[in-house]
Amino acid sequence: RRLPGNVTCDTTAIRLSLVIPLYNESLRLSWLEEGLREFIDDQRACIHEVILVNDGSTDDTAGRLAAVRDRLLAARTDCLADVRIVDLPRNGGKGGALKAGVQAARGLWILTLDADMSTPPSELLRWQEYDPSLDVGASPDTPRVYVGAREHPDAVIRDSFFRHVIGRLFNVLVQWMTGLDSDDTQCGFKLYPAAVAKRVFGALAETGWAHDVEILRRLAAEGTAVVELPVTWRAVEGGSIRCWVDGPRMLMAVARMRFRDLKT
């Protein structure tokens, strides 16, 4: 099997784990299934597993998710090793769900992404074309983390002007409060060497929406290189995040991080 950049994929082990958190996503699971099926059917994809973390959903996400898993496994190709569901007993936040999924992952690389497929897993194949040094078909040779950047000049974004402005304002405030040199902390599409992901998520304190900021701060503190790459991203209606409620909560969480720093 050939990958972009003329590199080969070792089919003897799981190379990549896709970790996807879900909370009350029953009405949007068609997006999830479509995005995963596209990736699974692409023979350029490396041997991978899919980990679906049900974060204490109160709708019928659990039952519908099991049906999605069964259909994906029934239609699996040589690229797909397994699809697993991690059921959490109560809702603990996106960061907590990712933490559980990362702990369960068996791949040498771990890709976190959102259930609405705002950026689908096939974007990883475009990343490998964009940066030939990135090869998820091989063991990570350096502790480098790749993060999706919607503000990258080569990104393709489909979003409303209002949401874009709110997002930019949030990131400016985060940069000012934390000193992070990142124009997009909140894009859920991030690729980690497994050892790095398990270390930083294992120490995660903020389990809500602000977990991305804490992860990036931990990576910066330990000197792990972070490479921002462009994404194709589209806004999908029906998500659980609410700008006027969750935005201030995220900023309060970032303020807590700063306060903890001052105490130590």
Side-chain angles (χ1 to χ4, degrees):
R1 186 175 296 113
R2 305 301 295 180
L3 287 171
N6 294 321
V7 293
T8 59
C9 179
D10 178 0
T11 60
T12 61
I14 296 174
R15 316 305 289 182
L16 173 70
S17 297
L18 278 62
V19 176
I20 305 172
L22 303 99
Y23 176 65
N24 290 351
E25 294 282 0
S26 64
L27 298 180
R28 304 199 300 174
L29 289 181
S30 59
W31 292 105
L32 172 74
E33 186 171 359
E34 180 182 341
L36 289 176
R37 190 179 291 274
E38 178 186 3
F39 187 70
I40 290 167
D41 289 343
D42 195 319
Q43 292 302 304
R44 295 174 299 163
C46 197
I47 300 298
H48 60 275
E49 65 175 356
V50 178
I51 300 175
L52 305 166
V53 185
N54 178 23
D55 187 21
S57 296
T58 56
D59 63 359
D60 58 348
T61 291
R64 293 192 177 198
L65 194 59
V68 169
R69 174 201 58 199
D70 293 345
R71 286 194 295 270
L72 292 174
L73 287 173
R76 78 165 74 186
T77 66
D78 290 341
C79 293
L80 179 62
D82 199 7
V83 181
R84 291 184 285 147
I85 297 175
V86 175
D87 274 310
L88 301 182
R90 62 183 62 86
N91 177 243
K94 183 179 179 181
L98 286 173
K99 182 175 183 177
V102 166
Q103 289 172 336
R106 297 174 294 177
L108 296 177
W109 293 87
I110 297 176
L111 176 69
T112 64
L113 64 163
D114 295 333
D116 62 8
M117 298 285 110
S118 51
T119 296
S122 57
E123 189 72 3
L124 184 59
L125 303 174
R126 190 167 82 95
W127 271 11
Q128 292 187 132
E129 293 173 340
Y130 190 90
D131 182 357
S133 67
L134 171 58
D135 177 13
V136 296
S139 300
D141 55 357
T142 58
R144 183 180 296 123
V145 173
Y146 298 85
V147 302
R150 289 167 291 189
E151 297 300 323
H152 193 287
D154 295 332
V156 178
I157 306 301
R158 299 180 181 90
D159 197 3
S160 69
F161 176 76
F162 172 76
R163 284 173 54 107
H164 180 75
V165 169
I166 292 296
R168 289 294 299 129
L169 177 60
F170 178 81
N171 277 292
V172 168
L173 290 172
V174 168
Q175 287 176 324
W176 174 70
M177 294 171 70
T178 65
L180 281 173
D181 183 21
S182 174
D183 289 328
D184 187 0
T185 60
Q186 299 308 116
C187 183
F189 200 84
K190 295 180 173 70
L191 177 68
Y192 307 81
V196 175
K198 290 178 182 292
R199 183 172 65 249
V200 294
F201 275 97
L204 190 67
E206 292 292 339
T207 58
W209 294 109
H211 75 278
D212 291 285
V213 177
E214 182 182 342
I215 290 295
L216 291 174
R217 294 182 79 235
R218 289 188 178 277
L219 293 172
E222 67 181 30
T224 298
V226 174
V227 179
E228 293 188 339
L229 291 176
V231 289
T232 299
W233 187 90
R234 76 180 192 286
V236 180
E237 296 302 321
S240 57
I241 190 167
R242 299 156 297 173
C243 290
W244 298 116
V245 176
D246 295 309
R249 287 179 178 173
M250 283 188 274
L251 291 176
M252 288 296 295
V254 174
R256 284 197 301 270
M257 295 179 210
R258 288 290 296 144
F259 182 69
R260 285 197 296 266
D261 288 346
L262 294 174
K263 290 179 64 178
T264 57

